[in-house]
């Protein structure tokens, strides 16, 4: 998990550090499945005992972080921020944070850096896996079904889902349990092989070493398999280092790229404790100590960095990030020594589990209450800036309830109507819906019907232009939607006027609304339908496509108006607040 911490704190230095989560999934699947297989073999497996150990392992540190986040947020966050934190606390207590993040991800989501508990998504996937996997193994074991065979089959199905979703919905692939379980199952497969086929692999390693010696010295000698172990450990380490350096957040991850951290981890574990790298580097006292505190360190580091990001309204300074990581290490050490170890050892196991479960229910209920009560707007920490925030804040409603799907229109079209046959149509992306209400009042007073055509969020009204983003849903099917919308407009004589509107800065520049937008939407790429990507700039494609769109509509006898979007700031408007409930001093 150290690579994940480094990625979050210093992303420019560790661009691929987030693949540490995939490494963790394999290790977790290996260790936990080993225990399950051994207990099934001995006839000592009990669901109550298994989940009791999980509660004592996970709940203590998690409770501390949830309570600390709830308490700090009470004094530091504005109402809408605290409302979202409450939702994430409830999700974390219920071990479904990945499902909540999955639903939130997309066009209208806010920056991931302002979600102090976003990192719990990986814990959600792990616990969802262990909620069902032991039951599956027990059923297969009781029915004498080969555990290796079914594990491989389920892993392949999960991996196939991962690949099939990677190019369509990166949010689904990243957060959905069914597209991530294969990584834990790879650890389970390795655990089965280590328990039941270790002799076979030992023989293979001895033969490999013997062959190397024979090729080198021309004779057979007695070997211990060290060459084979060191070789696969080295290959695994090089592969992992390549992943850290090569993979970035712009990739369609996990997808096939996740094979790199998964395979490298399998090789390193398979090499065994006697391989030189495993013995001298991974078993180093400092590395072992970090491993002991890795779970609480993972839990503590992101809330500290995220709260710092919220307080600063920008990426925190280097000094603040270093201080946050130092504090996370200290808190992780204290949590491990004075909370985790005492609870995991000693007697009164049932009493501990009961208390832990009750406390988790209480903090989950508290978070949910903060969510349903809109972030407790009555808090003193909120009211001191409420009047100032009110001048800057604005309410944004997606109005999805107002979309009417026209069965006579093209597939995927979204239309508002005032009148059966509108004479005015607004054509564009999601911003087209924003101007509908005002124009409806204007045109209705003239007895004209008005409708909205478009491909939805991220689809500019450009003929023969492909629109795609490396965030959210990746490549959007805007080409078909906009092309068919324009065809419908041309083929409908009743439509006399067309108003073109879109969020132009999002497509023509990469800096629209600063780093908040780049985190939320990724980098947009435009290119002509029959032209290779990258031959022209986004701006050239946008205005070239706009000119073609206007020309064809005018040629069809339509009156065309192009409405330029409201100018955008390249920073988050919240940073204009003169003071927040709590302010960091970093400069």
């Amino acid at each position: 998990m150290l690579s994940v911490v480094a990625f979050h704190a210093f992303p420019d230095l560790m661009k691929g550090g987030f693949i540490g989560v995939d490494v963790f999934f394999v290790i977790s699947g290996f260790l936990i499945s080993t225990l399950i297989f051994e207990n099934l073999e001995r006839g000592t497996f009990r669901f109550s005992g298994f989940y009791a150990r999980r509660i004592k392992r996970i709940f203590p540190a998690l409770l501390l972080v949830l309570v600390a986040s709830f308490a700090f947020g009470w004094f530091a966050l504005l109402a809408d921020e605290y409302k979202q934190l409450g939702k994430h606390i409830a999700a974390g207590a219920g071990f479904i944070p990945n499902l909540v993040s999955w639903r939130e991800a997309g066009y209208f989501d806010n920056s991931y850096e302002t979600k102090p508990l976003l990192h719990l998504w990986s814990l959600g996937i792990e616990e969802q896996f262990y909620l069902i996997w032991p039951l599956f193994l027990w059923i297969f074991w009781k029915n004498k079904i080969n555990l290796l065979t079914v594990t491989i089959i389920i892993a392949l199905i999960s991996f196939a889902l991962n690949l099939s979703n990677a190019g369509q919905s990166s949010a689904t692939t990243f957060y959905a349990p069914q597209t991530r379980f294969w990584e834990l199952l790879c650890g389970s497969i390795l655990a089965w092989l280590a328990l039941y086929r270790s002799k076979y692999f030992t023989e293979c390693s001895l033969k490999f070493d013997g062959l190397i010696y024979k090729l080198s010295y021309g004779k057979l000698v007695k070997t211990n398999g060290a060459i084979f172990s060191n070789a696969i450990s080295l290959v695994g380490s090089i592969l992992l280092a390549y992943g850290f350096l090569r993979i970035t957040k712009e990739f369609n991850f996990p997808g096939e790229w996740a094979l790199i951290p998964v395979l490298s981890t399998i090789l390193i574990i398979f090499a065994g404790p006697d391989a030189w790298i495993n013995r001298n580097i991974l078993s180093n006292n400092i590395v072992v100590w970090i491993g002991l505190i890795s779970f609480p360190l993972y839990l503590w580091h992101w809330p500290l960095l995220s709260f710092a990001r919220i307080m600063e309204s920008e990426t925190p300074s280097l000094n603040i990030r270093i201080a946050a990581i130092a504090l996370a290490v200290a808190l992780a050490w204290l949590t491990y020594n004075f909370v985790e170890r005492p609870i995991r050892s000693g007697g009164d196991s049932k009493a501990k589990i009961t208390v832990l479960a009750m406390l988790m229910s209480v903090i989950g209920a508290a978070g949910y209450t903060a969510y349903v009560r809109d972030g407790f707007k009555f808090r003193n920490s909120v009211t001191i800036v409420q009047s100032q925030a009110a001048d800057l804040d604005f309410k944004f409603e997606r109005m999805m309830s107002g979309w009417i799907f026209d069965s006579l229109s093209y597939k995927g079209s979204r239309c508002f109507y005032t009148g059966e046959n509108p004479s005015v149509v607004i054509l564009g992306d999601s911003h087209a819906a924003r101007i509908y209400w005002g124009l409806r009042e204007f045109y209705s007073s003239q007895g004209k019907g008005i409708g909205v055509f478009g491909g939805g969020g991220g689809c500019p009204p450009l003929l023969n232009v492909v629109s795609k983003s490396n965030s959210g849903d990746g490549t959007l099917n805007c080409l078909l939607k906009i092309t068919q919308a324009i065809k419908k407009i041309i083929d409908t004589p009743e439509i006399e006027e067309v108003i073109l509107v879109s969020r132009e800065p999002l497509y023509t520049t990469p800096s629209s609304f600063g780093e908040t937008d780049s985190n939320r939407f990724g980098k947009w790429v435009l290119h002509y339908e029959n032209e290779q990507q990258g031959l022209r700039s986004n701006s050239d494609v946008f205005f070239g496509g706009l000119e073609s769109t206007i020309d064809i509509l005018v040629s069809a006898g339509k009156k065309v108006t192009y409405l330029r979007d409201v100018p955008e700031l390249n920073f988050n408007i919240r940073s204009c607040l003169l003071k927040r409930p709590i302010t960091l001093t970093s400069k």
Side-chain angles (χ1 to χ4, degrees), residues 192-208:
W192 192 94
L193 294 174
L195 285 174
Y196 301 111
R197 292 294 184 268
S198 59
K199 183 178 179 181
Y200 172 78
F201 289 107
T202 299
E203 293 174 355
C204 289
S205 65
L206 293 176
K207 290 180 180 179
F208 179 86

Side-chain angles (χ1 to χ4, degrees), residues 193-243:
L193 294 174
L195 285 174
Y196 301 111
R197 292 294 184 268
S198 59
K199 183 178 179 181
Y200 172 78
F201 289 107
T202 299
E203 293 174 355
C204 289
S205 65
L206 293 176
K207 290 180 180 179
F208 179 86
D209 280 19
L211 179 61
I212 296 297
Y213 273 106
K214 186 175 182 180
L215 292 174
S216 302
Y217 303 105
K219 61 179 180 179
L220 289 173
V221 297
K222 188 176 181 179
T223 63
N224 59 5
I227 295 177
F228 180 75
S229 297
N230 286 322
I232 62 173
S233 177
L234 178 61
V235 171
S237 300
I238 293 174
L239 192 61
L240 185 60
Y242 173 78

Side-chain angles (χ1 to χ4, degrees), residues 31-65:
L31 294 176
I32 302 301
S33 295
T34 297
L35 293 175
I36 296 175
F37 289 144
E38 288 177 340
N39 283 306
L40 286 173
E41 184 73 32
R42 293 194 296 261
T44 58
F45 178 78
R46 299 291 183 274
F47 287 103
S48 58
F50 175 82
Y51 291 115
R53 285 191 298 271
R54 295 303 298 167
I55 289 174
K56 289 197 291 184
R57 172 72 178 95
I58 300 297
F59 279 32
L62 180 59
L63 273 168
L64 271 182
V65 172

Side-chain angles (χ1 to χ4, degrees), residues 56-223:
K56 289 197 291 184
R57 172 72 178 95
I58 300 297
F59 279 32
L62 180 59
L63 273 168
L64 271 182
V65 172
L66 293 180
V67 170
S69 298
F70 188 83
F72 185 81
W74 179 275
F75 300 101
L77 301 183
L78 301 177
D80 60 334
E81 297 167 336
Y82 200 56
K83 176 181 180 177
Q84 184 180 70
L85 177 66
K87 178 172 67 171
H88 291 174
I89 287 175
F95 294 99
I96 56 170
N98 58 311
L99 304 182
V100 171
S101 296
W102 181 10
R103 289 179 61 87
E104 289 178 347
Y107 191 83
F108 294 95
D109 189 26
N110 66 301
S111 173
Y112 72 90
E113 292 177 320
T114 60
K115 297 180 180 181
L117 298 178
L118 178 66
H119 66 318
L120 297 184
W121 72 267
S122 60
L123 185 61
I125 287 178
E126 185 195 21
E127 294 313 306
Q128 288 155 23
F129 177 78
Y130 291 125
L131 185 65
I132 61 175
W133 186 236
L135 177 62
F136 277 26
L137 288 179
W138 181 81
I139 293 174
F140 297 146
W141 178 268
K142 286 293 185 181
N143 289 277
K144 302 187 184 302
I145 299 174
N146 188 286
L147 297 184
L148 178 63
T149 301
V150 295
T151 303
I152 292 175
I153 291 174
I154 297 174
L156 288 174
I157 294 173
S158 175
F159 182 67
L161 291 173
N162 160 53
L163 293 180
S164 65
N165 281 280
Q168 301 177 22
S169 176
S170 58
T172 299
T173 313
F174 199 89
Y175 291 118
Q178 66 269 20
T179 61
R180 287 286 196 165
F181 278 178
W182 68 274
E183 299 179 53
L184 291 121
L185 289 169
C186 283
S188 299
I189 294 170
L190 184 60
W192 192 94
L193 294 174
L195 285 174
Y196 301 111
R197 292 294 184 268
S198 59
K199 183 178 179 181
Y200 172 78
F201 289 107
T202 299
E203 293 174 355
C204 289
S205 65
L206 293 176
K207 290 180 180 179
F208 179 86
D209 280 19
L211 179 61
I212 296 297
Y213 273 106
K214 186 175 182 180
L215 292 174
S216 302
Y217 303 105
K219 61 179 180 179
L220 289 173
V221 297
K222 188 176 181 179
T223 63

